[in-house]
Amino acid sequence: MTPLSSRLQRYIPSGRSLVIGGPYLWLALFFLVPFLLVVKISFAEQQLGVPPYTELAQLQDGMVHINLQLGHYTFLLSDSLYFATYLSSLQMAAVSTLLCLLIGYPMAYYIARSNPATRNMLMMAVMLPFWTSFLIRVYAWIGILKNNGLLNQFLMWAHLVRTPLELYHTNTAVYIGMVYSYLPFLVMPLYAHLVKMDLSLLEAAYDLGARPWKVFCQITLPLSRNGIIAGCLLVFIPAVGEYVIPELLGGSDTLMIGRVMWDEFFNNADWPMASAVTCAMVLLLLVPMALFQHYQAKEFEQ
Amino acid sequence: MIKPNKKLQVGTLAVGFFFLYAPILSLIVYSFNDSQLVTIWSKVSLRWYYALAQDDELINAAWLSLKIGLLTAFASVAIGTWAGFVLARMGRFRGFTLYSAMINAPLVIPEVIQGISLLLLFVEMGKVLGWPAERGVFTIWIGHVMLCVSYVAIIVQSRIRELDTALEDAAMDLGATPLRVFFVITLPLISQALISGWLLSFTLSIDDLVLSAFLSGPGSTTLPLVVFSRVRLGLNPEMNALATIFIGLVTVGVIAANFFMQRAEARRAMPAS
């Protein structure tokens, strides 16, 4: 090989880097770059026109004018309503995750301990609602939770309450909707961890005289730890930015950051403000997302 | 073998599955209710199914969603398989952490974030390149593929990791090019993962509301967008009928897919024994 062609060789990508480069480029273009644009536009200003935001840098009279607006961020930090929204989003997501865990763990546990044929059937039954439309599943709860809905009809019929419970358009309804929609996401990873657990460990513990509760706390729980963390993150992270559930089931006082961002964007057409809210949401989720990435990377290496 | 407390097991699962299925069953039952007031029972009728059959807005939206769903499923499987293969087989190349983070993030990131970012990308592209001039089917398609690629990549990478490399090594030794090995050996071996990925992408696309809301333009209203604009106003018996049809199709699909996959698995296990 002549020196020239070997020098040229360096600039022609190898098969390997072409194979890696393809999906890398796709992800960079449609995931990374768009997000950087959100950061950029959060520093712009709203204007009438297409697109409805100003340019950050403009060439005027042969000079570059840079127009960076920090206003959206100072507003986000100083406005007490926004602060309440962050807190309430985090709280709604955290409580929903906890409730999911309380319902999902026993379910995953008992499914994993059923015999193999039933196990597959039951897991399919958990997955089935997940395959049907998310929107339809949230909609179903309107009919149940309304003042003259099925739940109140039942409670009145059973003489458990005299006046219908106010549930529709409240935070309680949002919690119910979130737990219902996200439950399969928690059951799946938990089940995967519980089902491959080595049962002889439990047998050994029992043989050595441990009580069932102690066996659960000292063996089953620690062994399913990664499943718990993965499942909780799969619920918590999307729940923080949830829009559809609070919009359909929540009241006007249900403060969620995803809803605020949606309103800024679609109702106020304030794209820069919506971008700033998005950045705030990403900041809120940075730590949970890093945790999720950490646990997923561990799964990849197995 | 240690058996859990049977009563507790059956009780817990019964409560759990009641919670999962009661809302769905109530939707189905009340879709056959004649009354305009969804939750007040009057008599059995197919009135809302007839109304559905004449609802042109809904039917057009359903066709559009179906079209986008099919396009999304094929594109996601193609790109997702490639991405998953890189994840599983290329080792820890430079930038691996960023790469796996970009694959993982769309699984959990709130959809509103992805919606606004992709929208801004298309707007800026339209400004700089003059294309895409308008939002519509194409932009929705890209958005859905973006979301589904991650799911397909995760499914495919875990399947590829399980594979025994002996077959691929043998083919390489016999002089097949890597590309040929991939198409002749690897792809058929992971065909089940491809089918799962295809089905998942198709349903995710048909079901997606938030991304479509940001990325749709005039004349590209998908089914979830129409459904959302109606259920926002409260109960609507026609939506119950639509939901029932949807649930029926999905149930048949999931059970059939499960049946075929288990049969394929059984067949695969047979010659080995």
Side-chain angles (χ1 to χ4, degrees):
Chain A
M1 218 181 268
T2 64
L4 179 70
S5 71
S6 79
R7 235 182 298 157
L8 270 177
Q9 197 78 49
R10 276 217 314 237
Y11 298 99
I12 299 167
S14 67
R16 186 182 144 85
S17 43
L18 270 179
V19 168
I20 296 173
Y24 216 113
L25 208 67
W26 163 272
L27 288 166
L29 178 60
F30 291 114
F31 184 77
L32 206 59
V33 173
F35 184 68
L36 295 176
L37 284 173
V38 174
V39 176
K40 178 192 141 189
I41 284 153
S42 69
F43 291 107
E45 217 174 336
Q46 187 184 13
Q47 70 168 17
L48 284 175
V50 182
Y53 50 83
T54 54
E55 280 298 314
L56 291 192
Q58 247 166 349
L59 205 62
Q60 245 170 27
D61 315 324
M63 284 218 302
V64 180
H65 290 259
I66 292 180
N67 180 13
L68 269 186
Q69 293 287 325
L70 291 170
H72 302 300
Y73 287 99
T74 50
F75 185 69
L76 281 182
L77 285 173
S78 61
D79 189 72
S80 61
L81 190 66
Y82 272 102
F83 194 70
T85 309
Y86 307 139
L87 279 186
S88 133
S89 301
L90 290 176
Q91 185 210 335
M92 303 279 288
V95 173
S96 304
T97 308
L98 199 68
L99 290 173
C100 267
L101 190 62
L102 287 178
I103 301 171
Y105 197 99
M107 280 185 79
Y109 179 82
Y110 283 124
I111 294 174
R113 293 288 166 275
S114 307
N115 58 50
T118 338
R119 210 147 71 189
N120 284 340
M121 283 280 294
L122 291 174
M123 268 326 274
M124 198 174 82
V126 169
M127 291 291 293
L128 197 64
F130 165 81
W131 289 84
T132 60
S133 164
F134 167 72
L135 199 52
I136 286 174
R137 278 179 292 143
V138 178
Y139 167 72
W141 282 99
I142 302 180
I144 296 174
L145 298 174
K146 262 174 72 127
N147 277 1
N148 59 357
L150 300 175
L151 183 63
N152 275 319
Q153 280 177 29
F154 171 76
L155 291 175
M156 307 257 276
W157 171 81
H159 294 288
L160 289 170
V161 293
R162 285 230 183 87
T163 50
L165 296 175
E166 293 267 352
L167 292 169
Y168 184 39
H169 287 320
T170 64
N171 283 359
T172 318
V174 179
Y175 284 129
I176 295 175
M178 296 250 242
V179 172
Y180 184 69
S181 305
Y182 286 110
L183 192 59
F185 290 99
L186 197 126
V187 174
M188 275 183 276
L190 261 178
Y191 168 81
H193 277 86
L194 285 167
V195 81
K196 64 183 182 203
M197 213 176 95
D198 184 1
L199 291 178
S200 59
L201 284 172
L202 301 184
E203 241 157 296
Y206 280 119
D207 287 348
L208 293 170
R211 310 283 314 146
W213 184 243
K214 194 168 178 194
V215 173
F216 176 77
C217 289
Q218 298 206 331
I219 299 177
T220 311
L221 207 55
L223 279 177
S224 57
R225 203 189 74 147
N226 284 357
I228 296 176
I229 295 173
C232 285
L233 291 171
L234 275 173
V235 176
F236 180 79
I237 301 172
V240 169
E242 182 56 53
Y243 165 74
V244 178
I245 299 171
E247 181 67 20
L248 288 183
L249 298 176
S252 49
D253 58 340
T254 306
L255 295 174
M256 295 278 298
I257 191 163
R259 212 176 167 192
V260 168
M261 181 271 201
W262 183 287
D263 288 342
E264 289 290 356
F265 188 88
F266 286 102
N267 302 349
N268 302 346
D270 192 344
W271 293 21
M273 190 67 203
S275 301
V277 176
T278 307
C279 291
M281 202 185 319
V282 170
L283 278 179
L284 279 182
L285 292 175
L286 219 49
V287 174
M289 296 260 290
L291 255 179
F292 180 72
Q293 161 68 13
H294 174 75
Y295 279 93
Q296 281 288 100
K298 253 195 209 166
E299 298 276 307
F300 289 161
E301 270 153 32
Q302 270 172 7
Chain B
M1 168 139 164
I2 295 165
K3 280 279 158 201
N5 184 332
K6 198 81 197 168
K7 270 186 212 150
L8 215 58
Q9 179 176 25
V10 173
T12 310
L13 290 179
V15 172
F17 281 106
F18 177 77
F19 176 62
L20 280 178
Y21 280 91
I24 294 179
L25 289 178
S26 78
L27 270 184
I28 296 174
V29 170
Y30 281 87
S31 74
F32 297 105
N33 182 8
D34 191 61
S35 165
Q36 178 82 45
L37 298 161
V38 175
T39 54
I40 313 291
W41 186 265
S42 64
K43 64 180 202 300
V44 177
S45 98
L46 291 175
R47 181 180 162 194
W48 303 113
Y49 289 89
Y50 288 123
L52 205 59
Q54 265 134 39
D55 193 330
D56 286 334
E57 188 196 13
L58 217 60
I59 293 170
N60 289 338
W63 278 119
L64 184 71
S65 279
L66 195 67
K67 215 160 52 184
I68 296 177
L70 288 173
L71 286 172
T72 302
F74 284 113
S76 312
V77 167
I79 302 171
T81 307
W82 190 352
F85 183 81
V86 170
L87 205 55
R89 281 288 165 80
M90 289 292 142
R92 292 192 63 91
F93 50 88
R94 222 182 323 146
F96 180 82
T97 311
L98 177 65
Y99 181 75
S100 67
M102 287 194 297
I103 287 194
N104 281 327
L107 299 178
V108 287
I109 205 165
E111 267 188 277
V112 286
I113 298 182
Q114 274 195 303
I116 192 173
S117 5
L118 278 169
L119 170 74
L120 292 177
L121 174 78
F122 289 130
V123 169
E124 290 278 298
M125 270 170 72
K127 210 169 62 180
V128 178
L129 307 172
W131 178 90
E134 207 169 49
R135 281 168 271 151
V137 175
F138 179 77
T139 50
I140 299 178
W141 180 41
I142 297 280
H144 288 184
V145 174
M146 173 66 230
L147 181 70
C148 298
V149 158
S150 295
Y151 286 88
V152 178
I154 300 281
I155 296 173
V156 165
Q157 73 89 23
S158 75
R159 182 76 189 97
I160 289 184
R161 253 170 235 278
E162 289 169 8
L163 286 184
D164 187 358
T165 52
L167 275 176
E168 292 165 41
D169 291 342
M172 290 276 223
D173 288 347
L174 292 171
T177 61
L179 207 62
R180 183 146 180 206
V181 173
F182 178 75
F183 281 104
V184 179
I185 312 275
T186 317
L187 267 192
L189 284 175
I190 60 169
S191 59
Q192 256 195 58
L194 301 187
I195 296 171
S196 313
W198 193 95
L199 289 171
L200 187 59
S201 307
F202 181 69
T203 38
L204 282 172
S205 165
I206 292 266
D207 192 25
D208 176 77
L209 168 72
V210 175
L211 280 180
S212 308
F214 281 95
L215 300 175
S216 76
S220 60
T221 316
T222 62
L223 189 60
L225 289 172
V226 178
V227 173
F228 184 64
S229 68
R230 297 200 190 170
V231 301
R232 221 177 186 175
L233 308 171
L235 290 172
N236 179 335
E238 226 179 282
M239 291 303 112
N240 283 53
L242 179 72
T244 305
I245 295 174
F246 203 86
I247 292 164
L249 290 177
V250 168
T251 311
V252 171
V254 169
I255 291 175
N258 216 51
F259 174 75
F260 285 119
M261 283 200 182
Q262 261 170 14
R263 212 176 57 175
E265 199 128 302
R267 208 182 296 156
R268 208 168 36 177
M270 208 92 86
S273 62

